[in-house]
Amino acid sequence: MSAKMDLFRQFKIWVLFTCLVFQCGCGFYLPGSYPHKYDIGNTLSVKVNSLTSIDTEMPFSYYSLPFCKPPEGVKDSAENLGELLMGDRIENSPYRFKMYTNETQIFLCKSDPLSADDFKVLKKRIDEMYQVNLILDNLPAIRYTKKEGFFLRWTGYPVGIKVRDMYYVFNHLKFTVLVHKYEETNVARVMGTGDAAEVIPTVDRTSNVPGYMVVGFEVVPCSVSHNFDSVKNLKIYDKYPSAINCDPTSVEMAVKEGQPMVFTYEVSFVESDIKWPSRWDAYLKMEGAKVHWFSILNSLMVITFLAGIVLVIFLRTVRRDLTRYEEIDKEAQAQMNEELSGWKLVVADVFRAPNNPALLCIMVGDGVQILGMAVVTILFAALGFMSPASRGTLITGMLFFYMVLGIEAGYVAVRLWRTIGCGDSKGWVSVSWRVACFFPGIAFLILTTLNFLLWGSHSTGAIPFSLFVILLLLWFCISVPLTLVGGYLGAKAPHIEYPVRTNQIPREIPAQKYPSWLLVLGAGTLPFGTLFIELFFIMSSIWMGRVYYVFGFLFIVLILLVVVCAEVSLVLTYMHLCVEDWKWWWKSFFASGSVAIYIFLYSINYLVFDLKSLSGPVSATLYIGYSLFMVFAIMLATGTVGFLSSFWFVHYLFSSVKLD
């Protein structure tokens, strides 16, 4: 009887779990992203984020301009590590709405007369096309414009506009809040009166007042001329004495030194058919989606087909060589020794230690860590755990996974070090320490240099000193110890035994018809062909302020990139061995790692032809600095894939043939 009760209890738990998974699958409510129910009349508070511009790529605080401040004072919202690193500074604002209550002609404030400095800064921000970013219920304000019959979608609205040497500020905002009636999740009704029913949120059905969820937030900016005398005695949220005509096609409020500015707004609520789980669709929708998908799919098919042909030819060649070599008897082999050429002749040198073996181990260890971080982060993002609704989670997740995978980096680097040293574990602590400091140290140097430029510009993109201390603590208190633990495990693990012995005297490498490094550098074109289309959308997301959320397809591109890097490195290693060039270690690393060169050249091309408006030496330096940081990480990751695949191939090749 007891066994039956346990079985029944397990069945109930399984049904409960299935219902929860099914419900999460239908609504896809991830932790921290449940809908917020507002009753009619509840207060909705708008928040402000940093001012951003694709012209400078340097964010600034919203209140760095003479905008209206909230009556309770400016307060920072809680921000995670990723938001701070991205330059987000979310603060409260004076804009207040009441759920499902339309309001017009709301007076906000009258600024002080513009000083010379304020006037100069305001004109500069208008010239540099800075955008104001507002947030309501975690939704960014969205703006629609019509051009040549097409509706264009923008997040935020411009600070102002310049017309015939006159500057105009957008001082009146027309808000439209899309709402949808709050819907019960129905989880409790599906499960009945189970053990966990009390923890499932339900709606009080005795209330006749419907609740609403915010599913859209739109803004139309206008430049309206106000009568300064008529607002002398008005307080915040009072009714403006005359009607306000919001016409986005005309501008009236000219910015003049010594003259104040008056700010007003209006809000209307519209019931929408958009359901809460779909409210981010408007932000994630990409223009030219069919072209985007078709181009990438076509590129993937071509690259896969070419890589498959190369791999088939390569495997047939190796198999033919092995079969031919093993079929001849010893006497015939002795007679043909002088005629033999190719990879068989470098058997006693193929596993000779490379130049700078410690540096190779360090770069491979860091490459494993970066690649693992990329795979895990993109996989989690593809599953929806890093939604754009949760700002900064992508960067935070990347840092977390990078630190945890320090164990893997230390293990791989030290085990490779011991393999090159034929089992000698001497110096493993030094290797582990340098693995923990090599890539983070270079990244820290680049980002610190760029941060000084941002500090000098008073940009919110500058990392605060307190955050610098936190990053250093994470580095030396978490990442370094985990890497040392991985190194310890690598020192205790058995090293990889070489299948052949190495002679004391190295074999002379025959003169080559062409420089081997030229072929190595050219090998990066094939991996670059797998991702250059996707790279355009990633660059547009980073530098043009667009939301990137096709992580599922990006994960496929990443897997294909790994496969192509491995194949390219294998082919090149085999070609070098066939011409009796036994120095394959570093060449296998840079054969696939050279894709970083083409990515950097593409970045320069993107800067020249797509970011034409990028102005100022500081902005260009920031772009080049971040691009160098990105391509260095890609070089380590792709180079590691090429080296490890080549090492496996060489070990397998020389352990599969009988050599005397």
Side-chain angles (χ1 to χ4, degrees), residues 454-476:
L454 292 170
W455 267 337
S457 302
H458 304 288
S459 170
T460 58
I463 301 175
F465 180 76
S466 59
L467 184 57
F468 251 108
V469 175
I470 293 174
L471 292 176
L472 288 174
L473 291 175
L474 291 175
W475 181 7
F476 288 104

Side-chain angles (χ1 to χ4, degrees), residues 17-30 34 187 277 383:
F17 176 77
T18 304
C19 291
L20 285 172
V21 171
F22 176 77
Q23 185 65 28
C24 288
C26 292
F28 208 63
Y29 296 164
L30 297 174
Y34 285 93
V187 177
L383 294 175

Side-chain angles (χ1 to χ4, degrees), residues 160-281:
I161 190 172
K162 180 181 179 181
V163 180
R164 298 189 184 92
D165 297 328
M166 288 292 293
Y167 292 87
Y168 298 86
V169 68
F170 291 114
N171 61 332
H172 179 82
L173 301 180
K174 181 179 181 181
F175 295 107
T176 302
V177 181
L178 305 181
V179 296
H180 188 84
K181 283 188 178 179
Y182 188 86
E183 297 175 351
E184 186 181 0
T185 59
N186 295 326
V187 177
R189 291 193 288 116
V190 170
M191 294 189 297
T193 56
D195 297 334
E198 65 274 8
V199 303
I200 306 300
T202 57
V203 177
D204 184 9
R205 294 180 175 276
T206 60
S207 176
N208 294 323
V209 180
Y212 289 92
M213 303 172 292
V214 176
V215 295
F217 183 36
E218 301 175 4
V219 61
V220 176
C222 298
S223 180
V224 179
S225 179
H226 293 296
N227 188 338
F228 299 129
D229 295 332
S230 62
V231 298
K232 284 183 179 180
N233 301 321
L234 292 182
K235 297 180 180 180
I236 189 170
Y237 308 130
D238 284 348
K239 193 84 169 179
Y240 190 78
S242 59
I244 300 175
N245 180 27
C246 181
D247 183 8
T249 61
S250 63
V251 288
E252 298 176 3
M253 184 59 193
V255 180
K256 298 179 181 179
E257 184 178 347
Q259 181 175 298
M261 296 184 296
V262 175
F263 294 90
T264 55
Y265 73 94
E266 59 185 281
V267 59
S268 60
F269 289 81
V270 178
E271 196 161 341
S272 172
D273 294 332
I274 301 174
K275 295 184 180 294
W276 189 87
S278 303
R279 67 178 192 159
W280 274 89
D281 290 355

Side-chain angles (χ1 to χ4, degrees), residues 335-459:
Q335 296 175 356
M336 296 179 60
N337 270 341
E338 296 182 359
E339 300 178 3
L340 287 176
S341 62
W343 59 268
K344 305 93 170 175
L345 297 179
V346 297
V347 61
D349 298 276
V350 70
F351 289 108
R352 190 176 300 280
N355 298 326
N356 300 315
L359 180 60
L360 179 62
C361 296
I362 293 167
M363 294 177 71
V364 169
D366 281 330
V368 167
Q369 189 175 8
I370 295 170
L371 181 64
M373 175 203 67
V375 171
V376 176
T377 303
I378 295 175
L379 179 60
F380 271 78
L383 294 175
F385 289 97
M386 295 178 181
S387 167
S390 303
R391 291 177 180 81
T393 54
L394 188 65
I395 304 295
T396 306
M398 291 174 67
L399 287 174
F400 172 77
F401 293 133
Y402 180 82
M403 290 187 297
V404 171
L405 290 172
I407 296 178
E408 183 184 23
Y411 176 84
V412 172
V414 171
R415 194 174 182 198
L416 179 61
W417 170 255
R418 294 185 63 236
T419 299
I420 294 176
C422 298
D424 186 8
S425 59
K426 183 179 179 181
W428 72 267
V429 175
S430 175
V431 171
S432 301
W433 176 259
R434 283 186 281 178
V435 167
C437 297
F438 179 68
F439 175 73
I442 294 176
F444 188 80
L445 179 63
I446 295 175
L447 296 181
T448 302
T449 303
L450 299 179
N451 208 56
F452 278 116
L453 295 177
L454 292 170
W455 267 337
S457 302
H458 304 288
S459 170

Side-chain angles (χ1 to χ4, degrees), residues 551-615:
F551 289 105
F553 215 76
L554 181 61
F555 184 75
I556 297 175
V557 172
L558 177 62
I559 297 301
L560 184 59
L561 176 65
V562 170
V563 173
V564 173
C565 285
E567 292 173 346
V568 166
S569 185
L570 289 180
V571 172
L572 216 64
T573 299
Y574 180 70
M575 291 175 63
H576 283 106
L577 293 178
C578 284
V579 294
E580 303 176 31
D581 184 357
W582 47 267
K583 294 184 178 181
W584 58 272
W585 300 77
W586 282 106
K587 292 173 183 175
S588 65
F589 185 93
F590 288 111
S592 52
S594 61
V595 66
I597 297 175
Y598 299 96
I599 294 177
F600 183 72
L601 294 176
Y602 180 84
S603 300
I604 301 299
N605 174 81
Y606 189 86
L607 172 63
V608 174
F609 294 101
D610 292 279
L611 292 178
K612 298 178 182 179
S613 61
L614 196 64
S615 62

Side-chain angles (χ1 to χ4, degrees), residues 44-48 93 95-97 132-144 153-157 173-179 214-220 265-270 272 274 279 282-283 391:
L44 299 176
S45 298
V46 177
K47 296 181 180 180
V48 293
S93 81
Y95 295 102
R96 300 281 190 277
F97 307 151
V132 179
N133 298 292
L134 306 178
I135 302 171
L136 176 64
D137 194 45
N138 207 31
L139 278 180
I142 197 168
R143 175 173 59 97
Y144 293 96
R153 184 182 65 256
W154 312 87
T155 53
Y157 66 91
L173 301 180
K174 181 179 181 181
F175 295 107
T176 302
V177 181
L178 305 181
V179 296
V214 176
V215 295
F217 183 36
E218 301 175 4
V219 61
V220 176
Y265 73 94
E266 59 185 281
V267 59
S268 60
F269 289 81
V270 178
S272 172
I274 301 174
R279 67 178 192 159
Y283 303 88
R391 291 177 180 81

